[in-house]
Amino acid sequence: MARKLEADRFALGVCYYPEQWDEKLWADDYRRMKEMGIDVVRVGEFAWTIFEPADGAFEFGLFDRALDLAHAHGLQVIMGTPTATPPAWLTQAHPEVLNKTQDGLAYHHGMRRHYTYNSAVYREYCARIVRRMAEHYARHPAIVGWQIDNELNCETDVFYADADHDAFRAWCREKYGTLGALNEAWGAVFWSQTYTAWEQVHLTRKTAAGSPNPHQALDEKRFISDSAISFAKLQSDILREVAPHHWVTTNGLFGNLDSHRLTEETLDFFSYDSYPLFYSIFGDAQEPEPMRDRWWSLNLSGVRDISPNFCVMEQQAGPGGWTNRIQLPSPYPGQMRLWTYQSILHGADMVLYFRWRTAKFGTEIYWHGLNDYHNGPNRRLREAAAVGEELGRIGERLVGRTYKANVALLEDYDNEWDGRLDTMHGALRGPSLSAWYKRLQYRHIPADKIKLRRDATANGLSGYRLAVYPHPTIMTERTAELLETYVRDGGILVLGARTGYKDETGRCRMMPFPGMAAALCGVHVDDFTLIAGDREPADVALADGSGRTFKAPLFNETLTVQAEGTEVVAAYASGWYAGRPALTRRKLGQGEVWYFGASFSEGAAEAILDLLDLPSPAADWGKLPREVEFGIREDAAGGQWAYLLNYADREVAFELARDCVDVLTGERLSGRAAMPAFGVRILEPSPQ
Ligand code: GAL
């Protein structure tokens, strides 16, 4: 059963820090929140020194007053556990709770997230503060739920304190049983790394050239994920025991953490923090025809895979900036509203803006909230109030709906984690995913982003017409079987270069590429090259005589057909391997499997989509311009709402194929219609 947010109406909210403001401001803040349609505030997640100013001395006065007043104003409260910010008195008395760099240098007081999950002392202090807070607030009428910590694995997702090395050793003993098995899994005979006593086993440490044992590095990431989950569970167990009527969540999607398992084992539903302006740092801004803030829909699709209906605990509410880093511009007028609906389209049934007012002090004085320092009216407040008004009207009908997609972009944690060290396949992942997502977006074909889990079944994929699994280098026998079943049952599977040659330890198999997927794809790789140094990505030409070509970036494999029914769809058209097969298609059972011996360029994705002639569900609604994202959320009775999101800074027009009502405005639309810059429309078919 997917763990999802169950809401009977949409909740709009804001992150609030009563401890950072003069108490005299609170009542006015709450009054204005309510006036603009805000119903829920998140508080407390960094306030450990307020709750426990000295070791064992607990103080709830400030938050009692803040919560009572919030309740008096009709606001609901999400309480954060403050464990992301250990107090100075704690780290001074117990420096062993501090995380360390790989070189063994301790992080110190002065920022946040400077602790390690595995310190027994820290866990004790966390358990105590969480229990005391839960006991104190279990009956408070304003509280609806809890946020554990804040953004597990944000800022740093590696941990090398002494407690981590010790816990890793125990984890390895549990996993491998004997040193012989560990040596085997880690290929320790290579460079005489063989371990002869458990005391020699550590997390990766500083090495010459910064190159650790790759199998150990993969286990390290699995261990970090397990550590974060066990830390969350420590807290969720207490919250469930003491405040069983409250829900429990945590926020953020970060590296080295299996957020699916985290959610299954500790949460009621997952929450995400959505800052679409980060596209300039993490997104596709440097590429031609970039998706920019629309690229964030890919992240939100990954969140939907964890919790189909989720909460956005922090929604960007202004320009971003720490004093010394992350300089982000101001959203254009209309963009905050657009991003709120972007979150909603992808499954958010609760959205909180970050934050109510811009901090006057501290690291984040340029990370703007809805209010400026001056606290007077501004355009961000007006925009949020407009959203509040709309959601107040439609919020009951909007929630609980399911996002509809018949394309799946597949990934898995093992390959993501192995690929962080192993650039020979890791470097292919991002560009391929981005190329596929962009081409699907521009064709208005909604897609899900799915993590294939160890216990996945072909059934879970059967609803998808097309599944693209760009570069699953680590592939188990079980996964290969699952993919074959998916294809035989009618699915279309697309795989790319570097598929299938590693096992779960990250060791290579003595099999022709694409290893575990060779039999399924009906091809062998007979030669290959990394595209690096002075090598140019080859051109690939379709074999249908159309003369259509596209690029084969990053890695080029030449293929030989091994199984009957496998057709060469395209061949290399440049390089010393010109003429050799690059893209194949094999019909198998009711479905088909494609293999592309390269990383996916947009041209490759576009060509495959053309050849598949995959229809867009948008066609039933109208003819949309490329600038507009299209998606559907469906209710339990099959009633559909089509979301149209205009990411362009200008008006766009479109042609409707059916008569519709715009749910946001009540306007009846037919034929030609338009949307303003950064506009949003939610369409429902007109009653007949
Ligand atoms: C988030 C974090 C917030 C705030 C925000 C802006 O990652 O949860 O506490 O720091 O970013 O930087």
Side-chain angles (χ1 to χ4, degrees):
M1 260 305 267
R3 295 194 161 250
K4 57 181 185 179
L5 170 59
E6 310 270 1
D8 46 21
R9 54 190 280 269
F10 189 88
L12 191 67
V14 75
C15 303
Y16 189 54
Y17 300 92
E19 72 279 20
Q20 296 178 8
W21 303 101
D22 189 326
E23 216 166 309
K24 291 195 210 76
L25 291 173
W26 296 354
D28 178 61
D29 287 340
Y30 291 152
R31 180 187 55 75
R32 288 192 291 130
M33 287 176 197
K34 279 304 280 187
E35 273 173 19
M36 59 194 283
I38 285 174
D39 286 322
V40 53
V41 291
R42 180 197 63 179
V43 301
E45 81 277 14
F46 300 126
W48 196 331
T49 53
I50 305 291
F51 292 117
E52 192 180 359
D55 195 343
F58 295 93
E59 255 296 338
F60 295 101
L62 185 144
F63 274 91
D64 285 354
R65 294 193 298 282
L67 262 58
D68 291 349
L69 198 61
H71 183 61
H73 282 81
L75 288 160
Q76 298 187 323
V77 174
I78 300 165
M79 179 59 86
T81 69
T83 53
T85 45
W89 56 253
L90 198 166
T91 55
Q92 183 198 18
H94 304 283
E96 70 271 29
V97 310
L98 295 168
N99 186 12
K100 287 186 179 171
T101 65
Q102 201 184 29
D103 296 8
L105 291 176
Y107 289 99
H108 292 290
H109 198 79
M111 229 281 272
R112 60 179 176 187
R113 307 211 57 74
H114 42 292
Y115 69 90
T116 177
Y117 304 124
N118 285 308
S119 154
V121 174
Y122 195 60
R123 292 170 75 100
E124 261 174 47
Y125 274 97
C126 289
R128 186 173 73 177
I129 183 74
V130 171
R131 182 171 292 278
R132 293 300 292 261
M133 286 176 66
E135 282 168 357
H136 189 83
Y137 287 118
R139 304 269 149 246
H140 197 286
I143 295 192
V144 287
W146 294 79
Q147 172 189 298
I148 290 176
D149 200 276
N150 186 76
E151 297 194 330
L152 298 167
N153 281 12
C154 179
E155 271 116 33
T156 181
D157 58 11
V158 288
F159 301 83
Y160 299 107
D162 298 352
D164 296 306
H165 288 288
D166 292 346
F168 182 61
R169 196 168 301 121
W171 184 93
C172 288
R173 278 185 103 130
E174 168 84 27
K175 174 166 181 174
Y176 293 111
T178 64
L179 277 175
L182 176 137
N183 283 324
E184 178 68 21
W186 289 5
V189 67
F190 187 82
W191 285 347
S192 271
Q193 287 174 5
T194 304
Y195 295 93
T196 54
W198 282 104
E199 295 68 42
Q200 298 157 4
V201 174
H202 290 87
L203 291 157
T204 61
R205 289 180 293 180
K206 192 171 172 67
T207 53
S211 291
N213 176 309
H215 318 289
Q216 177 190 8
L218 176 57
D219 268 345
E220 174 173 308
K221 295 180 175 81
R222 293 169 173 148
F223 162 76
I224 292 170
S225 176
D226 285 359
S227 303
I229 293 169
S230 115
F231 182 71
K233 188 153 188 330
L234 173 79
Q235 301 198 23
S236 68
D237 282 352
I238 296 170
L239 294 170
R240 292 188 192 291
E241 177 202 327
V242 183
H245 47 295
H246 292 153
W247 46 252
V248 179
T249 187
T250 191
N251 57 328
L253 194 60
F254 292 93
N256 296 348
L257 177 50
D258 180 339
S259 296
H260 292 73
R261 201 157 74 71
L262 169 79
T263 304
E264 282 162 7
E265 294 186 9
T266 72
L267 309 178
D268 288 287
F269 56 86
F270 189 71
S271 300
Y272 179 63
D273 296 341
S274 187
Y275 292 97
L277 275 182
F278 265 126
Y279 79 78
S280 56
I281 301 174
F282 301 118
D284 67 348
Q286 312 312 323
E287 292 171 26
E289 304 179 301
M291 284 190 287
R292 299 200 173 91
D293 46 338
R294 185 174 176 180
W295 197 83
W296 234 244
S297 295
L298 180 58
N299 289 349
L300 289 159
S301 301
V303 174
R304 192 173 59 235
D305 183 42
I306 305 170
S307 281
N309 300 77
F310 54 87
C311 164
V312 167
M313 195 61 90
E314 300 180 13
Q315 178 76 55
Q316 183 149 17
W322 288 17
T323 38
N324 64 331
R325 60 192 279 266
I326 330 180
Q327 282 91 18
L328 302 177
S330 219
Y332 294 109
Q335 255 185 338
M336 269 172 51
R337 173 172 174 266
L338 173 72
W339 298 334
T340 310
Y341 285 103
Q342 178 185 33
S343 294
I344 294 173
L345 162 61
H346 286 282
D349 281 350
M350 183 187 308
V351 172
L352 286 80
Y353 290 113
F354 183 86
R355 48 187 271 162
W356 172 245
R357 190 166 33 243
T358 316
K360 283 190 304 176
F361 42 73
T363 307
E364 293 191 340
I365 51 175
Y366 304 119
W367 205 286
H368 288 72
L370 293 173
N371 289 270
D372 289 296
Y373 314 120
H374 61 61
N375 214 27
N378 68 16
R379 78 163 153 97
R380 300 195 301 279
L381 280 165
R382 283 193 293 278
E383 201 168 309
V387 174
E389 188 276 322
E390 287 168 348
L391 292 170
R393 269 189 289 113
I394 66 168
E396 257 171 61
R397 300 179 58 215
L398 177 143
V399 293
R401 290 166 177 262
T402 308
Y403 184 90
K404 302 292 290 179
N406 63 4
V407 174
L409 299 175
L410 305 181
E411 295 188 304
D412 62 90
Y413 285 110
D414 274 349
N415 279 297
E416 180 180 317
W417 296 343
D418 192 57
R420 287 186 69 169
L421 182 76
D422 182 344
T423 54
M424 287 284 194
H425 72 90
L428 279 55
R429 172 179 169 261
S432 286
L433 205 60
S434 208
W436 272 102
Y437 195 63
K438 190 198 285 189
R439 293 339 297 185
L440 289 162
Q441 272 281 330
Y442 288 173
R443 285 169 174 251
H444 305 116
I445 299 179
D448 284 339
K449 186 179 180 212
I450 294 198
K451 280 268 184 351
L452 216 53
R453 318 272 314 280
R454 294 220 171 128
D455 58 357
T457 61
N459 250 350
L461 294 182
S462 62
Y464 297 103
R465 181 83 191 99
L466 170 67
V468 181
Y469 200 179
H471 309 288
T473 294
I474 294 180
M475 188 182 285
T476 61
E477 210 162 320
R478 194 171 182 279
T479 304
E481 279 168 20
L482 176 156
L483 295 174
E484 179 168 339
T485 308
Y486 166 70
V487 171
R488 285 189 184 279
D489 291 352
I492 301 169
L493 174 70
V494 179
L495 298 166
R498 314 302 279 146
T499 288
Y501 67 87
K502 284 186 173 183
D503 67 16
E504 269 181 296
T505 61
R507 297 163 27 133
C508 299
R509 292 198 169 92
M510 290 182 74
M511 290 172 88
F513 298 142
M516 269 302 175
L520 171 61
C521 298
V523 295
H524 282 172
V525 172
D526 63 5
D527 210 341
F528 59 86
T529 179
L530 179 70
I531 305 299
D534 60 357
R535 303 299 173 84
E536 292 289 327
D539 292 317
V540 170
L542 288 187
D544 60 4
S546 62
R548 180 169 179 176
T549 62
F550 48 87
K551 289 285 176 205
L554 297 176
F555 208 92
N556 289 172
E557 300 172 340
T558 64
L559 314 175
T560 54
V561 168
Q562 300 290 318
E564 252 177 69
T566 310
E567 164 203 355
V568 176
V569 180
Y572 290 101
S574 64
W576 48 267
Y577 38 93
R580 303 287 308 139
L583 175 65
T584 58
R585 170 190 208 166
R586 179 182 183 206
K587 303 232 172 175
L588 189 66
Q590 309 294 307
E592 50 191 81
V593 52
W594 296 59
Y595 188 83
F596 184 45
S599 180
F600 291 96
S601 57
E602 286 181 44
E606 187 80 356
I608 295 171
L609 285 167
D610 278 342
L611 292 167
L612 290 173
D613 200 17
L614 208 67
S616 158
D620 294 343
W621 295 81
K623 213 169 152 357
L624 303 175
R626 212 191 53 179
E627 292 83 348
V628 168
E629 175 170 9
F630 170 86
I632 291 173
R633 281 188 78 180
E634 192 174 89
D635 66 19
Q640 298 196 334
W641 280 8
Y643 284 64
L644 273 46
L645 308 179
N646 178 18
Y647 292 85
D649 58 358
R650 62 189 174 284
E651 181 180 287
V652 295
F654 56 95
E655 196 65 38
L656 284 173
R658 52 159 74 155
D659 295 347
C660 292
V661 175
D662 185 334
V663 177
L664 287 166
T665 60
E667 224 177 324
R668 285 177 171 276
L669 300 172
S670 61
R672 206 172 153 74
M675 295 168 73
F678 308 114
V680 176
R681 285 199 184 273
I682 305 180
L683 304 180
E684 186 173 42
S686 287
Q688 293 305 313

